[in-house]
Amino acid sequence: MTQSSQRFLPLDVFRGMTVCFMIIVNTGGTGGTYWPLDHASWHGWTPTDLVFPSFLFAVGNAMSFSMRKYEQLGNSAVLGKIFKRTLIIFLLGYLMYWFPFVQQTDHGIEFKPFDHTRILGVLQRIALCYGIASLLIHYCSKKVVWGVSALFLLGYWAIMWYCGTPGDQYGINGNAGILLDKLVLGDNHMYHGEGIAFDPEGLLSTIPAVVNVVAGYYTGLFVQQQGRTKPGLMRMVMAGVVLFALAYAWNTVFPINKKLWTSSYVLLTISIDLFLLSLLIFVIDILGFTKGTGFFTVFGKNPLFLYLLSEIMAILFGVFTVGGTSLYQWINNIIFQPLSPGKFGSLLFSLAFMLTCWLVGYVLDKRKIYVRV
């Protein structure tokens, strides 16, 4: 899922932009961040809330190229490839959260206990959504896939309403997703960044997230067939307009919410992805303006590797210390905050961190090294 044909440069740029922005928003400095680089506190959305679903959309785009090969393979070979890729990506995500596998305690360095390690997360959701979407697309007709996708969105809404705590179905404590995760995973295996055991990449909310991958897949096919024509672009834009309107209509009863990955949020993010991809196709393919696209294609050619690199670097920056302060804080406080105190200094750190990852990707691209799963 790392490369597509250079004939479809807008898809490469779209994927690269997603990874680039994902690294920036995940590595904020110590002086605070501007609101577009923060997630919405609960209902609603910010530009940052578009990043992860766009990554799933890009995974679907890549599948529109890679899954052609599956048509020539036998059933066991297809299942083997899908399950192997799903398992590897899931394990990479799990091991990343467990990394560096040891911790400092009063008794010295000890292994981090498995019973306090988060099981789900970003890469795990990518893995599960890829696996489910791949099976649907390979074994079902297009009409069935879209029918199942609609069922996922409507069924998720029904489950959230009827299985959540009455009066708090869409709240952080009473939603059906947290209740299921606590029952299946347990508090110690969940994310605690919200102050309680609540996983924004939980089991239940993975169901609607599959639709982001499905939409990316069929958009990728459409771009290959008609996307480079003005009529094709108009169809993409109109589809985006319809989905955007439906998202806000649904928002009145099922609020747009990234942390719950609500069905209205799925429609909203797909619509914006369609707008952005249409714009890229218009600028790059129709107007012929390609200057600067090489910067983003560096990320687009090794997306999973560079995302993992950014996360591991951030973890190590937090583990290593300088004078009793984490390397992450030390770099911010010694270099970037004196350079520009506050939010702008934090942004400079995020950009420098992203450019460091880009440089690694640039070297890999120059040497024609593409890390695939």
Side-chain angles (χ1 to χ4, degrees), residues 13-60:
V13 173
F14 177 85
R15 183 167 54 252
M17 290 175 66
T18 302
V19 178
C20 176
F21 195 43
M22 182 177 280
I23 293 173
I24 291 173
V25 301
N26 285 346
T27 54
T30 58
T33 53
Y34 295 107
W35 73 265
L37 301 180
D38 287 326
H39 289 290
S41 58
W42 195 243
H43 296 324
W45 61 283
T46 71
T48 294
D49 293 316
L50 304 176
V51 178
F52 189 13
S54 295
F55 197 99
L56 291 176
F57 188 86
V59 168

Side-chain angles (χ1 to χ4, degrees), residues 38 57 89 101 112 115 129 146 189 199 226 228 232 297 317 324:
D38 287 326
F57 188 86
I89 297 175
F101 314 119
K112 288 184 177 180
D115 58 2
C129 289
W146 281 120
H189 290 297
D199 210 313
Q226 304 179 47
R228 298 173 70 181
T297 58
F317 277 21

Side-chain angles (χ1 to χ4, degrees), residues 102-123:
V102 295
Q103 60 187 1
Q104 182 69 45
T105 69
D106 295 337
H107 306 290
I109 296 177
E110 297 180 353
F111 278 102
K112 288 184 177 180
F114 167 78
D115 58 2
H116 280 71
T117 304
R118 184 184 178 193
I119 293 178
L120 298 176
V122 172
L123 287 179

Side-chain angles (χ1 to χ4, degrees), residues 90-101 118 124 315:
F90 191 97
L91 286 176
L92 286 173
Y94 175 75
L95 292 173
M96 184 182 74
Y97 286 134
W98 202 2
F99 184 80
F101 314 119
R118 184 184 178 193
Q124 294 91 317
I315 292 170

Side-chain angles (χ1 to χ4, degrees), residues 151-165 169-170 174-177 179-180 204-205 207-208 254 263:
L151 181 63
F152 280 177
L153 297 181
L154 293 170
Y156 179 62
W157 181 28
I159 292 171
M160 290 289 283
W161 180 254
Y162 290 108
C163 298
T165 302
Q169 289 95 328
Y170 307 142
N175 70 86
L179 301 179
L180 178 63
L204 189 61
S205 59
I207 295 172
F254 195 20
S263 303

Side-chain angles (χ1 to χ4, degrees), residues 16 18-28 51 55 92 96-97 99 122-123 126 299 302-319 328 349-361 364:
T18 302
V19 178
C20 176
F21 195 43
M22 182 177 280
I23 293 173
I24 291 173
V25 301
N26 285 346
T27 54
V51 178
F55 197 99
L92 286 173
M96 184 182 74
Y97 286 134
F99 184 80
V122 172
L123 287 179
I126 292 171
F299 283 113
N302 271 303
L304 190 61
F305 174 80
L306 293 178
Y307 169 73
L308 268 172
L309 174 68
S310 71
E311 291 293 297
I312 291 173
M313 281 177 55
I315 292 170
L316 291 176
F317 277 21
V319 170
Y328 198 99
F349 169 77
S350 299
L351 292 173
F353 193 98
M354 177 271 295
L355 288 172
T356 301
C357 296
W358 178 88
L359 185 60
V360 174
L364 291 176

